[in-house]
């Protein structure tokens, strides 16, 4: 399965994506607001990527984001209705995240019956909050100390996008 946008290709992950995914998942800037610490080794990313590939076979809906044949990020849902995305910092600020997430949202709403898509974002992550806001996500809740990264507790802002009624 693939989803083409004006500039990007969203496709299922494969093991040959390991180096590109590691470049993202080991990058402290990219991982600043992610739910895990930066990956310490290629082996950690390999296990994560293998789990991502296996999860798609078990019902997840995750994609890598390609720009001109280069993997620059990921987008999708480990378990619907919650979606997530990450992009290598070299590609921030050019609209790629918005383009990829918009394409994924359209795909998820067209291919599932989920009544709502959700996202859990660190409230300090202004860029991700802006992407989701541009796509119509609205705040539906907040919680403090939702996960521990190293020795830092992080908070969550929960966002939702309800499926529009048909007719």
């Amino acid at each position: 399965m693939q989803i083409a946008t004006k500039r990007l290709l969203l496709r299922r992950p494969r093991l040959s994506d390991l180096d590109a995914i590691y470049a993202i998942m080991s990058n402290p800037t990219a991982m600043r607001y992610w739910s895990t610490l930066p990956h310490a080794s290629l082996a950690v990313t390999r296990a994560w990527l293998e789990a991502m590939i296996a999860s798609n076979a078990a019902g997840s809906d995750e994609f890598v984001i390609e720009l001109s044949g280069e993997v620059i990020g990921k987008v999708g849902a480990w378990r619907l209705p919650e979606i997530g995305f990450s992009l290598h910092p070299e590609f921030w600020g050019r609209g790629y995240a918005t383009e990829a997430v918009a394409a994924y949202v359209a795909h998820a709403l067209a291919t599932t019956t989920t009544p709502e898509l959700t996202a859990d974002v660190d409230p300090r992550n202004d860029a991700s909050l802006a992407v989701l806001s541009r796509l119509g996500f609205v705040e539906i809740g907040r919680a403090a100390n939702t996960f521990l990264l190293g020795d830092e507790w992080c908070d969550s802002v929960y966002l939702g996008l309800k499926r529009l009624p048909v007719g």
Side-chain angles (χ1 to χ4, degrees), residues 16-17 37 39-40 46 54 57 64 69 71-72 77 92 95 97 135 147:
S16 60
D17 298 327
L37 293 171
H39 290 187
R46 176 182 284 281
V64 294
V71 173
I72 64 167
W92 290 0
L135 298 176
F147 53 96

Side-chain angles (χ1 to χ4, degrees), residues 140-164:
I140 55 176
R142 287 182 177 254
N145 299 332
T146 53
F147 53 96
L148 183 64
L149 290 179
D151 59 359
E152 178 184 22
W153 279 101
C154 299
D155 299 340
S156 291
V157 57
Y158 303 109
L159 304 165
L161 176 69
K162 291 196 181 297
R163 178 185 294 276
L164 294 176

Side-chain angles (χ1 to χ4, degrees), residues 56-117:
N56 275 343
S60 290
D61 197 26
E62 300 207 81
F63 295 84
V64 294
I65 304 165
E66 274 191 15
L67 173 66
S68 302
E70 178 183 359
V71 173
I72 64 167
K74 66 145 321 259
V75 64
W78 178 262
R79 293 287 176 260
L80 280 171
E82 187 174 331
I83 69 166
F85 59 97
S86 180
L87 210 61
H88 193 286
E90 287 180 19
F91 300 94
W92 290 0
R94 299 183 207 170
Y96 297 132
T98 301
E99 187 173 330
V101 177
Y104 179 75
V105 165
H107 158 78
L109 293 176
T111 61
T112 72
T113 59
T114 188
E116 176 180 44
L117 296 174

Side-chain angles (χ1 to χ4, degrees), residues 100-143:
V101 177
Y104 179 75
V105 165
H107 158 78
L109 293 176
T111 61
T112 72
T113 59
T114 188
E116 176 180 44
L117 296 174
T118 63
D120 177 350
V121 181
D122 187 308
R124 300 169 295 179
N125 189 344
D126 293 331
S128 290
L129 290 169
V131 165
L132 293 164
S133 177
R134 276 193 290 280
L135 298 176
F137 282 76
V138 296
E139 184 174 330
I140 55 176
R142 287 182 177 254

